[in-house]
Amino acid sequence: MKKVLLALIAISSLVFGFDYKLQPKEIAKDVYMFTGVNEPVKSSNGGAIANSFWVKTPKHWVVIDTGPTYDYAKQAHNAMKKIADLPIKLVFNTHFHDDHWMGDSYYKELHAPIYATKTQANEYKPGGESRVLKILDKKDLTNTKIVKVDNIVDKNETIDVDGVKFNVIKLDKPAHAPEDFMVYLKDRSVLFTGDILMSERLTSIRHGSIEGNLAAIKQIEKINPKVYANGHGKFRDDTGLKLTKAYLEKLKSTALKAVKDDVELDDYVKKANFDEFKKYKLFNVAHKENLFAAFKEYEFFEE
């Protein structure tokens, strides 16, 4: 009997695709979070490594970062219908990394307009490829595809949905990515930081800059929200701010010192001591690449 059940489960997964087992958690009044795993994108996690957020207004839902696949987005929507079966007014994609927005293909079918950066619109054209599409199993990618961005976020703006004001904060320089924006709900003191902040795991600066990320962190400190809705990690207090800031500041200080002391790039990467950060997830995945990026950023840096 046990073998039969296991066989049925295996067949079911082949037919129905990845079961994300999504459980929304309310992190502020009418604000919900689906928490990603602290891993790289791989078939065993269905690409669900980023956090995704839903905000309920009197008559609608607003989605901030839609997840890695069509099925993820659909399963998230089904979970949220149990809380309130409302139409989706719009979707925000905080930056161009595809683990945050390949779920757009589901919301496009629902005619929800997609707000995203020009970088995403330029880099990812409908019908094109992405990391998620290359890594995940085909059976888990049914209906998942790159879709057209409807609205380019290129400035600060306030979008009113049923009286709830979504303050869009467009960063003016590369930070985590070539372009990033955050979304602030002032009345609930919730800041959706995208990948500017992460908790439990180290950030990656391969597409952004330390200087831009630290400047964004200064903006966040001025806002001083009660709830930090970060791109990765489960913590919603300032844990992610403290970790990301400390890590980036050490990358900056060690890279500047290496450049000043005429240390070669390879020696810097080999000898820089970041032992206090080894306990965080993705250290072995992201850190070495971050060292290379830090050195390159500060090699000819002028304050």
Side-chain angles (χ1 to χ4, degrees):
M1 178 60 74
K2 185 176 180 181
K3 289 182 178 179
V4 173
L5 287 173
L6 289 173
L8 287 172
I9 291 170
I11 292 170
S12 174
S13 67
L14 288 171
V15 173
F16 297 108
F18 198 93
D19 180 4
Y20 289 97
K21 299 180 173 61
L22 296 174
Q23 297 291 330
K25 182 178 182 64
E26 189 170 18
I27 62 173
K29 179 177 170 53
D30 294 331
V31 180
Y32 297 84
M33 171 181 175
F34 293 103
T35 306
V37 297
N38 290 302
E39 300 173 351
V41 171
K42 49 189 177 181
S43 57
S44 61
N45 60 35
I49 68 170
N51 298 333
S52 178
F53 301 94
W54 289 62
V55 179
K56 187 167 76 69
T57 68
K59 298 179 181 178
H60 296 90
W61 285 111
V62 171
V63 184
I64 301 172
D65 287 343
T66 62
T69 67
Y70 179 102
D71 281 348
Y72 177 101
K74 186 174 182 178
Q75 290 173 35
H77 190 196
N78 287 338
M80 299 312 294
K81 285 178 182 178
K82 296 176 183 177
I83 295 171
D85 191 359
L86 298 171
I88 296 165
K89 182 67 174 180
L90 59 90
V91 164
F92 290 115
N93 298 161
T94 57
H95 62 290
F96 85 137
H97 289 147
D98 64 342
D99 52 304
H100 288 260
W101 56 262
M102 286 298 291
D104 286 359
S105 47
Y106 173 74
Y107 299 102
K108 180 68 79 169
E109 289 187 356
L110 302 181
H111 307 292
I114 298 164
Y115 287 71
T117 63
K118 183 180 287 187
T119 302
Q120 179 182 326
N122 289 342
E123 293 286 332
Y124 294 98
K125 303 290 187 182
E129 284 290 332
S130 77
R131 172 184 52 161
V132 164
L133 292 175
K134 292 175 182 177
I135 293 175
L136 299 190
D137 294 339
K138 287 185 178 180
K139 65 180 176 60
D140 299 328
L141 290 169
T142 302
N143 296 319
T144 301
K145 57 187 176 182
I146 296 170
V147 297
K148 185 179 178 181
V149 170
D150 298 296
N151 297 281
I152 300 296
V153 174
D154 57 8
K155 63 182 184 302
N156 292 348
E157 59 182 311
T158 298
I159 299 173
D160 189 307
V161 180
D162 306 327
V164 179
K165 290 180 171 56
F166 293 79
N167 297 303
V168 178
I169 304 167
K170 174 67 169 60
L171 302 184
D172 59 6
K173 62 180 70 174
H176 173 72
E179 287 186 283
D180 305 85
F181 66 85
M182 303 184 290
V183 180
Y184 183 42
L185 293 181
K186 187 175 181 179
D187 65 330
R188 304 176 204 187
S189 195
V190 179
L191 180 65
F192 303 91
T193 71
D195 278 1
I196 301 303
L197 299 182
M198 304 182 189
S199 69
E200 299 186 281
R201 55 155 288 180
L202 293 188
T203 188
S204 167
I205 56 168
R206 69 190 187 280
H207 295 136
S209 82
I210 295 171
E211 285 299 300
N213 214 319
L214 286 172
I217 287 173
K218 284 185 179 179
Q219 286 185 258
I220 293 170
E221 289 175 327
K222 288 180 181 179
I223 294 170
N224 190 26
K226 290 181 180 178
V227 178
Y228 294 77
N230 303 329
H232 297 268
K234 68 183 180 181
F235 295 111
R236 300 176 299 282
D237 57 11
D238 64 356
T239 298
L241 184 146
K242 290 176 179 176
L243 168 60
T244 307
K245 182 179 181 181
Y247 180 61
L248 292 173
E249 285 182 340
K250 183 156 187 180
L251 283 172
K252 177 177 180 177
S253 64
T254 57
L256 281 171
K257 186 176 188 306
V259 171
K260 181 181 178 182
D261 295 345
D262 291 323
V263 176
E264 295 293 330
L265 171 58
D266 288 345
D267 286 337
Y268 167 65
V269 172
K270 288 177 183 176
K271 297 177 181 178
N273 185 346
F274 281 73
D275 285 352
E276 68 268 37
F277 295 100
K278 286 183 177 179
K279 63 184 178 181
Y280 294 104
K281 302 289 187 181
L282 274 70
F283 180 89
N284 292 331
V285 175
H287 178 60
K288 186 175 181 180
E289 187 176 46
N290 288 339
L291 289 173
F292 277 105
F295 190 93
K296 291 296 185 183
E297 181 170 346
Y298 292 108
E299 191 172 12
F300 303 105
F301 179 74
E302 294 183 5
E303 292 282 2

